[in-house]
Amino acid sequence: MPPTCYLSRTEHFSAAHRLHSPYLSDEENRTVFGKCNNANGHGHNYVLETVVGGQIDPKTGMVASLDDLKHWINTAVMDVLDHRNLDADIAYFKNRPST
């Protein structure tokens, strides 16, 4: 069996959010989340590390195309989350704390 090889890529993005649970009162949210419950939110810089693995394709000599990996990361993560307010812009977090 051919060896498994890995291709990795690291990306950085920024996003804002507010730690706030719709299941808690405003006072409970302030107690649980402290300054991270600020009504205006706060931001973070995130690091995304992606690793794909598999056998080397004998026709291309690659596990995956780096251009394809960049496209997948951009489509799934960067275009969706970079410079967004997670609570306001991402449907998944509409009724969930974005912890």
Side-chain angles (χ1 to χ4, degrees):
M1 176 190 290
T4 299
C5 293
Y6 299 92
L7 175 64
S8 64
R9 182 154 180 90
T10 301
E11 294 283 354
H12 299 84
F13 67 94
S14 301
H17 73 137
R18 176 187 186 202
L19 295 181
H20 185 87
S21 173
Y23 305 107
L24 300 175
S25 69
D26 287 343
E27 182 178 332
E28 290 171 316
N29 272 292
R30 283 190 296 275
T31 299
V32 172
F33 298 119
K35 67 180 183 177
C36 295
N37 182 247
N38 181 325
N40 295 318
H42 62 281
H44 294 279
N45 296 315
Y46 295 90
V47 177
L48 172 70
E49 296 179 359
T50 305
V51 179
V52 295
Q55 296 177 358
I56 296 174
D57 183 327
K59 294 177 187 174
T60 65
M62 299 185 296
V63 172
S65 161
L66 188 54
D67 286 339
D68 287 345
L69 182 57
K70 287 183 200 177
H71 173 74
W72 298 328
I73 292 170
N74 284 335
T75 301
V77 179
M78 303 302 287
D79 295 345
V80 177
L81 300 177
D82 192 29
H83 287 86
R84 301 280 194 254
N85 180 318
L86 301 179
D87 304 315
D89 300 333
I90 309 301
Y92 178 83
F93 293 117
K94 291 292 183 195
N95 295 309
R96 293 178 178 90
S98 55
T99 56

